[in-house]
mmCIF file of all heavy atoms in Angstrom:
data_model
loop_
_atom_site.group_PDB
_atom_site.id
_atom_site.type_symbol
_atom_site.label_atom_id
_atom_site.label_comp_id
_atom_site.label_asym_id
_atom_site.label_seq_id
_atom_site.Cartn_x
_atom_site.Cartn_y
_atom_site.Cartn_z
ATOM 1 N N GLU K 460 0.764 -1.209 0.025
ATOM 2 C CA GLU K 460 0.032 0.061 0.036
ATOM 3 C C GLU K 460 0.849 1.265 0.009
ATOM 4 O O GLU K 460 0.507 2.239 -0.622
ATOM 5 C CB GLU K 460 -0.976 0.035 1.237
ATOM 6 C CG GLU K 460 -2.056 -1.056 1.021
ATOM 7 C CD GLU K 460 -2.988 -1.046 2.230
ATOM 8 O OE1 GLU K 460 -2.432 -0.753 3.378
ATOM 9 O OE2 GLU K 460 -4.209 -1.466 2.189
ATOM 10 N N ALA K 461 1.951 1.211 0.741
ATOM 11 C CA ALA K 461 2.995 2.355 0.714
ATOM 12 C C ALA K 461 3.452 2.604 -0.782
ATOM 13 O O ALA K 461 3.515 3.782 -1.211
ATOM 14 C CB ALA K 461 4.080 2.089 1.750
ATOM 15 N N GLU K 462 3.732 1.491 -1.529
ATOM 16 C CA GLU K 462 4.130 1.569 -2.910
ATOM 17 C C GLU K 462 3.095 2.172 -3.632
ATOM 18 O O GLU K 462 3.382 3.133 -4.542
ATOM 19 C CB GLU K 462 4.501 0.257 -3.425
ATOM 20 C CG GLU K 462 5.798 -0.401 -2.769
ATOM 21 C CD GLU K 462 7.046 0.379 -3.327
ATOM 22 O OE1 GLU K 462 7.442 0.280 -4.519
ATOM 23 O OE2 GLU K 462 7.526 1.172 -2.522
ATOM 24 N N GLN K 463 1.747 1.821 -3.548
ATOM 25 C CA GLN K 463 0.764 2.358 -4.415
ATOM 26 C C GLN K 463 0.554 3.839 -4.203
ATOM 27 O O GLN K 463 0.399 4.587 -5.055
ATOM 28 C CB GLN K 463 -0.529 1.581 -4.035
ATOM 29 C CG GLN K 463 -0.543 0.099 -4.603
ATOM 30 C CD GLN K 463 -0.180 0.001 -5.995
ATOM 31 O OE1 GLN K 463 -0.794 0.691 -6.888
ATOM 32 N NE2 GLN K 463 0.734 -0.786 -6.378
ATOM 33 N N ILE K 464 0.588 4.362 -2.903
ATOM 34 C CA ILE K 464 0.437 5.650 -2.516
ATOM 35 C C ILE K 464 1.559 6.505 -3.137
ATOM 36 O O ILE K 464 1.331 7.544 -3.750
ATOM 37 C CB ILE K 464 0.328 5.832 -1.033
ATOM 38 C CG1 ILE K 464 -1.030 5.333 -0.432
ATOM 39 C CG2 ILE K 464 0.451 7.361 -0.654
ATOM 40 C CD1 ILE K 464 -1.162 5.314 1.084
ATOM 41 N N SER K 465 2.812 5.971 -2.989
ATOM 42 C CA SER K 465 4.031 6.687 -3.443
ATOM 43 C C SER K 465 3.905 6.862 -5.031
ATOM 44 O O SER K 465 4.317 7.906 -5.552
ATOM 45 C CB SER K 465 5.267 5.942 -3.136
ATOM 46 O OG SER K 465 5.475 6.152 -1.748
ATOM 47 N N ILE K 466 3.395 5.722 -5.662
ATOM 48 C CA ILE K 466 3.307 5.826 -7.201
ATOM 49 C C ILE K 466 2.335 6.870 -7.541
ATOM 50 O O ILE K 466 2.508 7.696 -8.561
ATOM 51 C CB ILE K 466 2.891 4.424 -7.671
ATOM 52 C CG1 ILE K 466 4.108 3.496 -7.603
ATOM 53 C CG2 ILE K 466 2.477 4.512 -9.142
ATOM 54 C CD1 ILE K 466 3.755 1.999 -7.811
ATOM 55 N N ALA K 467 1.129 6.896 -7.003
ATOM 56 C CA ALA K 467 0.064 7.786 -7.333
ATOM 57 C C ALA K 467 0.583 9.276 -6.992
ATOM 58 O O ALA K 467 0.376 10.215 -7.780
ATOM 59 C CB ALA K 467 -1.180 7.512 -6.647
ATOM 60 N N ALA K 468 1.256 9.471 -5.730
ATOM 61 C CA ALA K 468 1.763 10.753 -5.446
ATOM 62 C C ALA K 468 2.833 11.232 -6.399
ATOM 63 O O ALA K 468 2.991 12.380 -6.729
ATOM 64 C CB ALA K 468 2.257 10.712 -3.997
ATOM 65 N N GLN K 469 3.722 10.276 -6.889
ATOM 66 C CA GLN K 469 4.725 10.548 -7.887
ATOM 67 C C GLN K 469 4.057 11.099 -9.120
ATOM 68 O O GLN K 469 4.680 12.154 -9.692
ATOM 69 C CB GLN K 469 5.567 9.291 -8.130
ATOM 70 C CG GLN K 469 6.375 9.533 -9.417
ATOM 71 C CD GLN K 469 7.742 10.318 -9.170
ATOM 72 O OE1 GLN K 469 7.997 10.729 -8.008
ATOM 73 N NE2 GLN K 469 8.402 10.622 -10.177
ATOM 74 N N SER K 470 3.098 10.512 -9.614
ATOM 75 C CA SER K 470 2.379 10.965 -10.799
ATOM 76 C C SER K 470 1.887 12.388 -10.650
ATOM 77 O O SER K 470 2.020 13.248 -11.501
ATOM 78 C CB SER K 470 1.224 10.021 -11.132
ATOM 79 O OG SER K 470 0.416 10.493 -12.135
ATOM 80 N N LEU K 471 1.298 12.722 -9.442
ATOM 81 C CA LEU K 471 0.840 14.055 -9.127
ATOM 82 C C LEU K 471 1.889 15.043 -9.141
ATOM 83 O O LEU K 471 1.824 16.178 -9.653
ATOM 84 C CB LEU K 471 0.015 14.041 -7.918
ATOM 85 C CG LEU K 471 -1.464 13.421 -7.954
ATOM 86 C CD1 LEU K 471 -1.980 13.410 -6.624
ATOM 87 C CD2 LEU K 471 -2.240 14.347 -8.864
ATOM 88 N N ALA K 472 3.020 14.660 -8.329
ATOM 89 C CA ALA K 472 4.117 15.673 -8.247
ATOM 90 C C ALA K 472 4.679 15.945 -9.650
ATOM 91 O O ALA K 472 5.033 17.181 -9.829
ATOM 92 C CB ALA K 472 5.270 14.968 -7.424
ATOM 93 N N VAL K 473 4.851 15.012 -10.508
ATOM 94 C CA VAL K 473 5.330 15.248 -11.908
ATOM 95 C C VAL K 473 4.474 16.205 -12.612
ATOM 96 O O VAL K 473 4.866 17.125 -13.321
ATOM 97 C CB VAL K 473 5.602 13.925 -12.660
ATOM 98 C CG1 VAL K 473 5.863 14.275 -14.124
ATOM 99 C CG2 VAL K 473 6.722 13.186 -11.943
ATOM 100 N N GLN K 474 3.109 15.934 -12.587
ATOM 101 C CA GLN K 474 2.143 16.760 -13.236
ATOM 102 C C GLN K 474 2.102 18.230 -12.733
ATOM 103 O O GLN K 474 2.140 19.222 -13.416
ATOM 104 C CB GLN K 474 0.798 16.229 -13.110
ATOM 105 C CG GLN K 474 0.574 14.918 -13.865
ATOM 106 C CD GLN K 474 -0.870 14.410 -13.796
ATOM 107 O OE1 GLN K 474 -1.683 15.080 -14.223
ATOM 108 N NE2 GLN K 474 -1.062 13.231 -13.085
ATOM 109 N N PHE K 475 2.274 18.345 -11.396
ATOM 110 C CA PHE K 475 2.299 19.622 -10.908
ATOM 111 C C PHE K 475 3.512 20.367 -11.131
ATOM 112 O O PHE K 475 3.625 21.684 -11.454
ATOM 113 C CB PHE K 475 2.084 19.622 -9.265
ATOM 114 C CG PHE K 475 0.666 19.237 -8.813
ATOM 115 C CD1 PHE K 475 0.595 18.338 -7.746
ATOM 116 C CD2 PHE K 475 -0.411 19.553 -9.567
ATOM 117 C CE1 PHE K 475 -0.622 17.965 -7.326
ATOM 118 C CE2 PHE K 475 -1.689 19.034 -9.111
ATOM 119 C CZ PHE K 475 -1.856 18.308 -7.997
ATOM 120 N N ASP K 476 4.688 19.698 -11.225
ATOM 121 C CA ASP K 476 6.027 20.151 -11.562
ATOM 122 C C ASP K 476 5.971 20.760 -13.009
ATOM 123 O O ASP K 476 6.476 21.802 -13.309
ATOM 124 C CB ASP K 476 7.036 19.149 -11.434
ATOM 125 C CG ASP K 476 8.488 19.633 -11.804
ATOM 126 O OD1 ASP K 476 8.755 20.827 -11.850
ATOM 127 O OD2 ASP K 476 9.267 18.784 -12.180
ATOM 128 N N LEU K 477 5.348 19.929 -14.005
ATOM 129 C CA LEU K 477 5.355 20.342 -15.269
ATOM 130 C C LEU K 477 4.466 21.558 -15.617
ATOM 131 O O LEU K 477 4.677 22.220 -16.586
ATOM 132 C CB LEU K 477 4.883 19.147 -16.187
ATOM 133 C CG LEU K 477 5.699 17.926 -16.303
ATOM 134 C CD1 LEU K 477 5.137 16.798 -17.042
ATOM 135 C CD2 LEU K 477 7.111 18.322 -17.003
ATOM 136 N N ALA K 478 3.623 21.831 -14.660
ATOM 137 C CA ALA K 478 2.784 22.979 -14.816
ATOM 138 C C ALA K 478 3.414 24.256 -14.371
ATOM 139 O O ALA K 478 2.892 25.438 -14.656
ATOM 140 C CB ALA K 478 1.373 22.746 -13.997
ATOM 141 N N GLN K 479 4.576 24.272 -13.771
ATOM 142 C CA GLN K 479 5.294 25.379 -13.216
ATOM 143 C C GLN K 479 6.200 25.856 -14.423
ATOM 144 O O GLN K 479 6.767 25.097 -15.161
ATOM 145 C CB GLN K 479 6.072 25.011 -12.034
ATOM 146 C CG GLN K 479 5.221 24.404 -10.915
ATOM 147 C CD GLN K 479 4.199 25.297 -10.491
ATOM 148 O OE1 GLN K 479 4.178 26.480 -10.417
ATOM 149 N NE2 GLN K 479 3.046 24.621 -10.039
ATOM 150 N N GLU K 480 6.486 27.310 -14.334
ATOM 151 C CA GLU K 480 7.341 27.833 -15.324
ATOM 152 C C GLU K 480 8.895 27.720 -14.878
ATOM 153 O O GLU K 480 9.749 27.710 -15.680
ATOM 154 C CB GLU K 480 6.944 29.225 -15.566
ATOM 155 C CG GLU K 480 5.552 29.449 -16.172
ATOM 156 C CD GLU K 480 5.312 30.886 -16.615
ATOM 157 O OE1 GLU K 480 6.047 31.705 -16.273
ATOM 158 O OE2 GLU K 480 4.131 31.077 -17.020
ATOM 159 N N SER K 481 9.013 27.942 -13.646
ATOM 160 C CA SER K 481 10.486 28.001 -13.137
ATOM 161 C C SER K 481 11.064 26.596 -13.018
ATOM 162 O O SER K 481 10.545 25.596 -12.533
ATOM 163 C CB SER K 481 10.418 28.562 -11.667
ATOM 164 O OG SER K 481 11.820 28.371 -11.158
ATOM 165 N N PRO K 482 12.292 26.448 -13.700
ATOM 166 C CA PRO K 482 12.958 25.183 -13.629
ATOM 167 C C PRO K 482 13.425 24.781 -12.159
ATOM 168 O O PRO K 482 13.705 23.616 -11.955
ATOM 169 C CB PRO K 482 14.160 25.321 -14.491
ATOM 170 C CG PRO K 482 14.430 26.868 -14.480
ATOM 171 C CD PRO K 482 13.000 27.438 -14.396
ATOM 172 N N LEU K 483 13.385 25.825 -11.233
ATOM 173 C CA LEU K 483 13.776 25.538 -9.864
ATOM 174 C C LEU K 483 12.773 24.511 -9.209
ATOM 175 O O LEU K 483 13.143 23.856 -8.199
ATOM 176 C CB LEU K 483 13.728 26.886 -9.084
ATOM 177 C CG LEU K 483 14.995 27.754 -9.314
ATOM 178 C CD1 LEU K 483 14.741 29.058 -8.737
ATOM 179 C CD2 LEU K 483 16.263 27.100 -8.820
ATOM 180 N N TYR K 484 11.538 24.367 -9.768
ATOM 181 C CA TYR K 484 10.612 23.441 -9.123
ATOM 182 C C TYR K 484 11.184 22.041 -9.230
ATOM 183 O O TYR K 484 10.719 21.118 -8.547
ATOM 184 C CB TYR K 484 9.253 23.661 -9.775
ATOM 185 C CG TYR K 484 8.403 24.690 -9.264
ATOM 186 C CD1 TYR K 484 8.377 25.922 -9.871
ATOM 187 C CD2 TYR K 484 7.743 24.643 -8.062
ATOM 188 C CE1 TYR K 484 7.618 26.941 -9.330
ATOM 189 C CE2 TYR K 484 6.999 25.574 -7.422
ATOM 190 C CZ TYR K 484 6.929 26.778 -8.133
ATOM 191 O OH TYR K 484 6.111 27.819 -7.686
ATOM 192 N N ARG K 485 11.888 21.889 -10.292
ATOM 193 C CA ARG K 485 12.496 20.442 -10.584
ATOM 194 C C ARG K 485 13.465 20.074 -9.368
ATOM 195 O O ARG K 485 13.355 18.985 -8.991
ATOM 196 C CB ARG K 485 13.408 20.416 -11.835
ATOM 197 C CG ARG K 485 14.265 19.396 -12.104
ATOM 198 C CD ARG K 485 13.734 18.054 -12.242
ATOM 199 N NE ARG K 485 14.671 16.979 -12.455
ATOM 200 C CZ ARG K 485 14.391 15.719 -12.157
ATOM 201 N NH1 ARG K 485 13.137 15.295 -11.916
ATOM 202 N NH2 ARG K 485 15.282 14.828 -12.421
ATOM 203 N N LEU K 486 14.159 21.088 -8.849
ATOM 204 C CA LEU K 486 15.068 20.822 -7.738
ATOM 205 C C LEU K 486 14.222 20.534 -6.393
ATOM 206 O O LEU K 486 14.640 19.654 -5.644
ATOM 207 C CB LEU K 486 16.110 22.025 -7.533
ATOM 208 C CG LEU K 486 16.952 22.251 -8.712
ATOM 209 C CD1 LEU K 486 17.834 23.442 -8.483
ATOM 210 C CD2 LEU K 486 17.837 20.998 -9.004
ATOM 211 N N VAL K 487 13.145 21.357 -6.358
ATOM 212 C CA VAL K 487 12.336 21.065 -5.111
ATOM 213 C C VAL K 487 11.750 19.538 -5.148
ATOM 214 O O VAL K 487 11.890 18.955 -4.164
ATOM 215 C CB VAL K 487 11.017 22.018 -5.133
ATOM 216 C CG1 VAL K 487 10.094 21.710 -4.006
ATOM 217 C CG2 VAL K 487 11.571 23.451 -5.126
ATOM 218 N N ASP K 488 11.287 19.252 -6.235
ATOM 219 C CA ASP K 488 10.787 17.815 -6.361
ATOM 220 C C ASP K 488 11.907 16.861 -6.291
ATOM 221 O O ASP K 488 11.667 15.720 -5.696
ATOM 222 C CB ASP K 488 10.023 17.646 -7.720
ATOM 223 C CG ASP K 488 9.476 16.355 -7.873
ATOM 224 O OD1 ASP K 488 8.492 15.930 -7.071
ATOM 225 O OD2 ASP K 488 9.924 15.600 -8.798
ATOM 226 N N LEU K 489 13.047 17.112 -6.732
ATOM 227 C CA LEU K 489 14.117 16.249 -6.706
ATOM 228 C C LEU K 489 14.712 15.928 -5.247
ATOM 229 O O LEU K 489 15.019 14.829 -4.857
ATOM 230 C CB LEU K 489 15.287 16.645 -7.525
ATOM 231 C CG LEU K 489 16.508 15.742 -7.977
ATOM 232 C CD1 LEU K 489 15.879 14.463 -8.742
ATOM 233 C CD2 LEU K 489 17.521 16.350 -8.660
ATOM 234 N N ALA K 490 14.667 17.048 -4.472
ATOM 235 C CA ALA K 490 15.023 16.947 -3.046
ATOM 236 C C ALA K 490 13.868 16.091 -2.370
ATOM 237 O O ALA K 490 14.287 15.191 -1.500
ATOM 238 C CB ALA K 490 15.052 18.235 -2.371
ATOM 239 N N SER K 491 12.679 16.263 -2.643
ATOM 240 C CA SER K 491 11.514 15.536 -1.978
ATOM 241 C C SER K 491 11.747 14.026 -2.488
ATOM 242 O O SER K 491 11.410 13.101 -1.552
ATOM 243 C CB SER K 491 10.213 16.148 -2.475
ATOM 244 O OG SER K 491 9.124 15.264 -1.936
ATOM 245 N N ARG K 492 11.985 13.741 -3.736
ATOM 246 C CA ARG K 492 12.109 12.387 -4.255
ATOM 247 C C ARG K 492 13.214 11.675 -3.502
ATOM 248 O O ARG K 492 13.126 10.458 -3.260
ATOM 249 C CB ARG K 492 12.156 12.408 -5.750
ATOM 250 C CG ARG K 492 12.167 11.007 -6.304
ATOM 251 C CD ARG K 492 11.917 10.963 -7.871
ATOM 252 N NE ARG K 492 11.933 9.537 -8.281
ATOM 253 C CZ ARG K 492 12.950 8.938 -8.605
ATOM 254 N NH1 ARG K 492 14.213 9.455 -8.629
ATOM 255 N NH2 ARG K 492 12.861 7.647 -9.087
ATOM 256 N N SER K 493 14.371 12.414 -3.465
ATOM 257 C CA SER K 493 15.483 11.805 -2.637
ATOM 258 C C SER K 493 15.102 11.436 -1.288
ATOM 259 O O SER K 493 15.553 10.231 -0.759
ATOM 260 C CB SER K 493 16.691 12.846 -2.552
ATOM 261 O OG SER K 493 17.118 13.173 -3.888
ATOM 262 N N ASP K 494 14.386 12.117 -0.580
ATOM 263 C CA ASP K 494 13.788 11.907 0.709
ATOM 264 C C ASP K 494 12.972 10.498 0.634
ATOM 265 O O ASP K 494 13.161 9.622 1.358
ATOM 266 C CB ASP K 494 12.876 12.890 1.265
ATOM 267 C CG ASP K 494 12.259 12.544 2.593
ATOM 268 O OD1 ASP K 494 12.843 11.669 3.272
ATOM 269 O OD2 ASP K 494 11.194 13.130 2.927
ATOM 270 N N MET K 495 12.096 10.439 -0.366
ATOM 271 C CA MET K 495 11.280 9.275 -0.531
ATOM 272 C C MET K 495 12.161 8.017 -0.796
ATOM 273 O O MET K 495 11.792 6.943 -0.169
ATOM 274 C CB MET K 495 10.270 9.364 -1.720
ATOM 275 C CG MET K 495 9.401 8.303 -1.991
ATOM 276 S SD MET K 495 10.062 6.848 -2.908
ATOM 277 C CE MET K 495 10.215 7.675 -4.545
ATOM 278 N N LEU K 496 13.167 8.175 -1.511
ATOM 279 C CA LEU K 496 13.994 6.968 -1.970
ATOM 280 C C LEU K 496 14.788 6.553 -0.641
ATOM 281 O O LEU K 496 14.921 5.392 -0.517
ATOM 282 C CB LEU K 496 14.942 7.351 -3.070
ATOM 283 C CG LEU K 496 14.302 7.479 -4.380
ATOM 284 C CD1 LEU K 496 15.331 8.105 -5.451
ATOM 285 C CD2 LEU K 496 13.855 6.246 -4.983
ATOM 286 N N ALA K 497 15.192 7.406 0.174
ATOM 287 C CA ALA K 497 15.862 7.128 1.448
ATOM 288 C C ALA K 497 14.896 6.347 2.284
ATOM 289 O O ALA K 497 15.355 5.328 2.950
ATOM 290 C CB ALA K 497 16.559 8.382 2.069
#
């Protein structure tokens, strides 16, 4: 279930990231994703 939630949240994070104009949002998401992977 943790995997399923993470997969769905990953999809949303990517969609929300792509909707932003600043490339800095990519780094915000990358830091958050590094936390998830750890």
